[in-house]
Amino acid sequence: MRSTFCLKALSVAIATFSMASAASAAGLDRSGQDITAFLQDGLYAEAVYTYIDGDVTGHDNAYIGADDKAYTKGNKIGDIAESYDFFRYGVKADINDTFSVGILYDEPFGAAADYTGNNNFVAQGNLDDAINIISNGNATGLVDASNKIGQLSKGATQAGQAAAQFAEQAQNATSPQAAAEFAAQAKAAQDKALELKGQAESLGAAVASAQAEQATTGEGTNVEVRTENVTGILGARLGTNKEFQIYGGPVAQQVQADVALRGVAYGPATGYTAHISSDQDFGWLAGVSYSKPEIALKAALTYRSEIEHNTNIDEQYPLVAALGGDPSQGGTIEITTPKSVNFDFQTGINPTTLATVKVRWVPWGDFAIVPPLYNEVSKRATEDDKGLALVSYDDDQWQVELGLAKRLTPALAVSGNIGWDSGAGNPVTSLGPIEGYYSAGLGAKYNVTENWAVSAGGKYLWFGDAKGQLPTQKIVANFEDNDGYVLGVKLSYQAAQ
C-alpha cells in the first residue's frame, strides 16, 4: 500500500536536525534534549545521526601589562572547533488509550576545542618571552626576573627587620604617643615587607610557569567534554478526548572530561592538565502536553532537572611544585549539569503545511567546573577564599527555532527553519569562545513505505563574535566572523493508525 501524507502525519515532517546546536554555542549545549519522539502518535521509533562542523578562528592578545581588559590584536588563531557527531534514539509505544511509555537516548552536553599554530594558546618554548608575558611585563627574561626577585627578597628582609626594630621601640617607648608612632611605623614596614615578598613570589611563579611552558613546547590547549543521557518516560492521557497528557520519568546521565591548558595566555596556569573520570548519576524529567489531531496541533512543555555528579579528578599543575606542594594530585569534584525547560509547538496551517516553534532555556549562569587543586592555587592569586572556577558562564541561554514543513507529494515533504541562540555571555571562556548564533536550515522527509521514512537536512550557523577570557576575567583573545554547519539524517518508523 502506498503511503499517504495526511495533516496529522506532518508532525514528523521536520527533518533530523531540529534543535541541534554547535559546540559551546551556549555553555556546553549540544543536542537540545529533544523529546518529540515521545509526542508522536501510536508506536514510533527513530534513529538520528548528526554531524556538526564549526569554523572558529580569531587572534590572541598581544597586549602586555596589568590591564586585564586591554586588547591588542595579536597572532592568528586557526580553527579551534573540532568537528563532532552524535546519535539520538527514541522509541515510544502506547500501552492502551491512556498510558504510553518511551525511552530516549541523546548526548546533551559537550565541548571539543583544540588550539594549534603559533599563538598564545600553544606552548612555544621561548623562556624569556614567556616570562615577559606571564609577568605582565614586570620582567623581560630569566636574568632580569632573577635579579628582580633577589632585589625584592632583599627589600622584604630589610623591611621586616625595620618592622621588628620599630616594634621593639614601641615596647620600650616612654610615652603612649611615642609608642603609637613606633607601632604605626612597624605596621607600615611590615606591610611593605609583605608587599615586596608578594612581588617576589609573583615573579617566581612567572619563572616557574615559563619553565612549565618550555617543558610542554609544541603542545596546544585542548578540551573534550562528553555526556550521555538515557531517559525513561511514562505518560498518561487525560481529558474527554484524551487531549491532555502528563508525563515524566528518570534520567540516567554519564559525564567525563579532559582539559589541558597550554601557552602563555593562561599565565601561571600554563601546563595545567585535568582528567575527570566517567561518572553516572540520575535526575528526572516532567512535562505536560496538549494535542488536537484534526489540525495537527501539539504543544508540550518539558522540564529536566539538574544532575549532580561527584567523581574522581586527576590534576597536574606545574606551578604547585614551585609553591612547595605536590604538582600531581588526585581528588574529587562536583559537577552539576544544568536544568532546562523546552517548549515544543506545532500546528497545521492548511492540509499540506505545518508550522513549528521550539524554545529552550538553560541557566548556564549557575554552572561551573571547579577542580579542587586549580581552585586552591587560585585562592592565593586572588586573595579570595572562594577562588576561581576553571569554567563558568555569565548568562543563561535562550534558544528559539521557527519552522515550516510542506507536503509536495503523498510521500515527500520539505522543511525549512530559522533559529537564534543567545549564547551564555561575552566575554566567555576561551575554551568555547562563541556568543550564540543565528541559523537557517532546509530538510526533506520521504516516506519509503506506509511505516518507514527517511529524513535528511542541513543547517548553516552564523556564530556571534566573542572575546575569550580567563577565569580571572583577563581578555586573552578575540574571535570574529565565524560560522559552521550541521548535517543530519534520520530513519523513523511509525505504525499505521
Side-chain angles (χ1 to χ4, degrees), residues 272 313 315 329-334 370-377:
Y272 175 82
I313 181 172
E315 298 177 84
Q329 296 185 25
T332 60
I333 184 172
E334 178 183 304
V370 188
L373 179 58
Y374 181 94
N375 178 256
E376 189 61 34
V377 173

Side-chain angles (χ1 to χ4, degrees), residues 144-162 189-190 192-205 207:
D144 186 31
S146 298
N147 290 336
K148 287 185 176 180
I149 289 171
Q151 293 168 2
L152 290 167
S153 298
K154 181 178 179 180
T157 300
Q158 292 173 342
Q161 292 171 344
Q190 184 62 36
K192 186 64 175 178
L194 292 175
E195 178 186 352
L196 294 174
K197 181 181 178 183
Q199 292 175 358
E201 290 179 346
S202 179
L203 273 182
V207 171

Side-chain angles (χ1 to χ4, degrees), residues 76-80 114-119 121-122 124 218 220-221:
K76 173 76 173 179
I77 299 172
D79 183 14
I80 70 167
D114 187 20
Y115 285 83
T116 59
N118 179 23
N119 58 71
F121 297 89
V122 179
Q124 305 300 327
T221 297

Side-chain angles (χ1 to χ4, degrees), residues 60-68 70-73 133 136 474:
D60 66 19
N61 192 354
Y63 170 80
I64 298 176
D67 185 356
D68 287 347
Y71 175 78
T72 301
K73 186 176 180 180
I133 295 172
N136 291 323
K474 181 175 182 177

Side-chain angles (χ1 to χ4, degrees), residues 294-315:
E294 56 269 29
I295 59 171
L297 188 151
K298 291 182 180 179
L301 187 66
T302 306
Y303 173 87
R304 286 179 178 267
S305 73
E306 61 184 24
I307 299 178
E308 182 178 307
H309 297 268
N310 287 280
T311 186
N312 295 326
I313 181 172
D314 294 312
E315 298 177 84

Side-chain angles (χ1 to χ4, degrees), residues 75-152:
N75 294 321
K76 173 76 173 179
I77 299 172
D79 183 14
I80 70 167
E82 293 190 298
S83 61
Y84 64 90
D85 57 6
F86 58 86
F87 289 90
R88 188 175 80 238
Y89 307 102
V91 178
K92 176 260 181 181
D94 292 335
I95 299 174
N96 51 41
D97 64 353
T98 298
F99 294 102
S100 300
V101 293
I103 186 166
L104 307 175
Y105 167 88
D106 74 332
E107 300 177 32
F109 308 118
D114 187 20
Y115 285 83
T116 59
N118 179 23
N119 58 71
N120 289 344
F121 297 89
V122 179
Q124 305 300 327
N126 188 312
L127 186 61
D128 285 347
D129 285 352
I131 290 173
N132 185 30
I133 295 172
I134 295 172
S135 70
N136 291 323
N138 291 322
T140 58
L142 181 59
V143 173
D144 186 31
S146 298
N147 290 336
K148 287 185 176 180
I149 289 171
Q151 293 168 2
L152 290 167

